[in-house]
Amino acid sequence: MTVITVSLEKKQYQVKIDRRLHQEIGQAVSLVWTPRRIALLTDSHVGPLYLTAVQQQLEMSGFEVLPLQVPAGESSKSLKTVGELIGKMAEKGFTRDDGLIALGGGVIGDLGGVVASLYMRGIALIQIATSLTAQVDSSVGGKTAINLSHTKNIAGTFYQPDLVLVDPTYLDTLADRDLVEGYAEVVKTSVLAGVSFFDLTGRIHGVTDIRDNAEELSTRAVAYKAQVVMADEKEAGQRQFLNFGHTIGHAIELLAHGELRHGEAVAIGMIAMSSRMTRDGLTPASLTAALRARLETVDLPTTSDLIGTPAFFKHMVNDKKNRGGRLNLVVLKDIGQPMIVQKAIVDMPDFINENEGNNR
């Protein structure tokens, strides 16, 4: 078992990575929580596969479990759903001494984190990550959020879990497209982390390679993210680097109305940003090409006609990285050398559209 410890100013917790964890959930939770009531939150995709087994393990370890299931997908990341879940927990008499376990991917991790942070001003939280996106990125670091209207992740909290469990065998039931969209976050992290990790993603050439190397990919990605989060928990400095590809990615993900997965949009965002920074002399052309090759070899998209439309720029105004009318854009000087470049929102149309055809 790999154990990565995240040590923050007011919190310390472990991320455990092992292929046997799905059989040891009750024991793992018992090591960090005393017997209590647990709201076990999942979605309509993960629930039929794993909810019963997880609930049984928790109950055998002395926990009282309230199973909660929401529809799969981004639509569940809403204030309405948050209110409904909090209402169900209140009806069952949950107190500050109880807890919530998020069993699922990024959507459930985000939703569960928001609910746990709000219920009675905060109850204990554990993340059990079942998607590649969650296992390599979203379950670690304490960022939680829901969507409002047409703005992604605009309302949220920083709320750290007490434990994160990552079992690569959960990926066995993940569809190839869902697995590959999570791999976009792996590629992102690898280019931020340095040559060794980037070389590893250079040896991945298909879905089978992702599955065969899932444990190492998760370990490397979590180790890097833990290092960044420990240095900058609230995203005041270097944690912003983890947003590489997300400024453009979030905008086109929303405009695609479900036709693009999160990781697919991030893949497009990374190439859109890198190609324009290559045009402007900040990112080496060879790095943009290497990044593109890693994404396209697993059939991730790298272009979109949604970029540069009026609706695209409208979404940028509501981006969380909009600070006083300026966006902090993450740029790659080289492998393992990210930097922040500020652009005024009013200048973004020229930045995005200038000679765009040459960057496709």
Side-chain angles (χ1 to χ4, degrees):
M1 178 185 296
T2 299
V3 178
I4 297 170
T5 300
V6 181
S7 297
L8 305 167
E9 182 180 356
K10 297 181 179 179
K11 182 97 173 187
Q12 183 180 91
Y13 62 93
Q14 293 181 331
V15 182
K16 295 185 175 181
I17 305 171
D18 192 89
R19 301 182 69 85
R20 297 165 296 182
L21 284 171
H22 68 285
Q23 300 172 326
E24 303 170 359
I25 290 172
Q27 178 184 355
V29 174
S30 295
L31 291 175
V32 295
W33 283 357
T34 56
R36 66 189 66 191
R37 277 172 289 195
I38 294 175
L40 180 57
L41 177 63
T42 192
D43 66 28
S44 56
H45 285 168
V46 176
L49 296 170
Y50 302 118
L51 179 60
T52 299
V54 173
Q55 181 175 350
Q56 289 175 346
Q57 290 186 55
L58 291 170
E59 290 175 342
M60 288 177 63
S61 295
F63 297 100
E64 180 183 338
V65 179
L66 171 65
L68 297 170
Q69 184 168 294
V70 300
E74 283 283 325
S75 62
S76 286
K77 284 175 54 174
S78 68
L79 276 178
K80 180 176 181 290
T81 304
V82 169
E84 291 172 348
L85 293 171
I86 288 175
K88 290 177 181 178
M89 292 166 65
E91 288 174 5
K92 295 297 182 179
F94 273 65
T95 72
R96 285 185 178 178
D97 295 326
D98 296 320
L100 184 147
I101 292 179
L103 172 68
V107 168
I108 289 300
D110 267 353
L111 179 62
V114 170
V115 171
S117 70
L118 293 179
Y119 190 81
M120 291 193 170
R121 299 188 178 91
I123 62 172
L125 171 69
I126 287 175
Q127 298 272 8
I128 303 178
T130 63
S131 73
L132 188 59
T133 300
Q135 292 190 357
V136 302
D137 182 54
S138 61
S139 66
V140 179
K143 283 177 69 174
T144 78
I146 57 171
N147 308 325
L148 294 180
S149 184
H150 300 297
T151 306
K152 185 176 173 66
N153 292 344
I154 195 66
T157 61
F158 285 94
Y159 199 71
Q160 301 293 344
D162 291 342
L163 175 70
V164 178
L165 300 179
V166 173
D167 185 334
T169 63
Y170 283 130
L171 304 179
D172 293 345
T173 53
L174 207 63
D176 285 352
R177 184 180 178 187
D178 294 325
L179 181 81
V180 169
E181 71 112 356
Y183 182 66
E185 295 285 0
V186 177
V187 173
K188 177 205 76 175
T189 305
S190 75
V191 75
L192 296 173
V195 173
S196 177
F197 194 0
F198 198 57
D199 283 348
L200 173 60
T201 55
R203 298 193 294 272
I204 301 293
H205 298 293
V207 173
T208 300
D209 289 342
I210 297 173
R211 294 190 186 279
D212 289 346
N213 292 276
E215 191 163 353
E216 183 176 3
L217 293 172
S218 292
T219 298
R220 292 226 194 178
V222 170
Y224 175 75
K225 185 167 186 181
Q227 172 189 332
V228 171
V229 170
M230 286 188 287
D232 178 23
E233 181 182 0
K234 299 294 179 69
E235 205 171 71
Q238 65 178 277
R239 189 168 180 175
Q240 296 177 70
F241 295 152
L242 298 174
N243 292 322
F244 176 53
H246 285 64
T247 299
I248 292 175
H250 279 170
I252 62 173
E253 181 183 357
L254 286 166
L255 290 174
H257 301 294
E259 295 299 315
L260 284 175
R261 308 286 172 83
H262 172 71
E264 293 168 345
V266 169
I268 294 167
M270 285 191 286
I271 296 304
M273 185 60 65
S274 288
S275 64
R276 284 156 179 80
M277 289 302 177
T278 294
R279 174 200 67 197
D280 294 348
L282 292 175
T283 297
S286 59
L287 178 52
T288 298
L291 194 60
R292 188 191 301 271
R294 281 159 174 76
L295 299 170
E296 292 183 347
T297 194
V298 297
D299 295 326
L300 278 163
T302 55
T303 63
S304 172
D305 290 335
L306 296 171
I307 297 174
T309 62
F312 170 82
F313 293 113
K314 183 179 179 180
H315 278 301
M316 284 197 162
V317 174
N318 290 322
D319 191 281
K320 300 187 304 300
K321 296 169 282 298
N322 178 356
R323 302 185 179 188
R326 303 183 70 83
L327 291 174
N328 285 348
L329 304 179
V330 184
V331 179
L332 298 171
K333 292 191 296 183
D334 210 333
I335 300 168
Q337 296 181 40
M339 62 179 289
I340 299 293
V341 170
Q342 283 199 339
K343 289 280 185 183
I345 288 179
V346 295
D347 293 333
M348 286 301 291
D350 288 340
F351 169 71
I352 292 294
N353 293 325
E354 183 184 355
N355 299 322
E356 185 194 8
N358 296 327
N359 295 297
R360 292 194 174 195

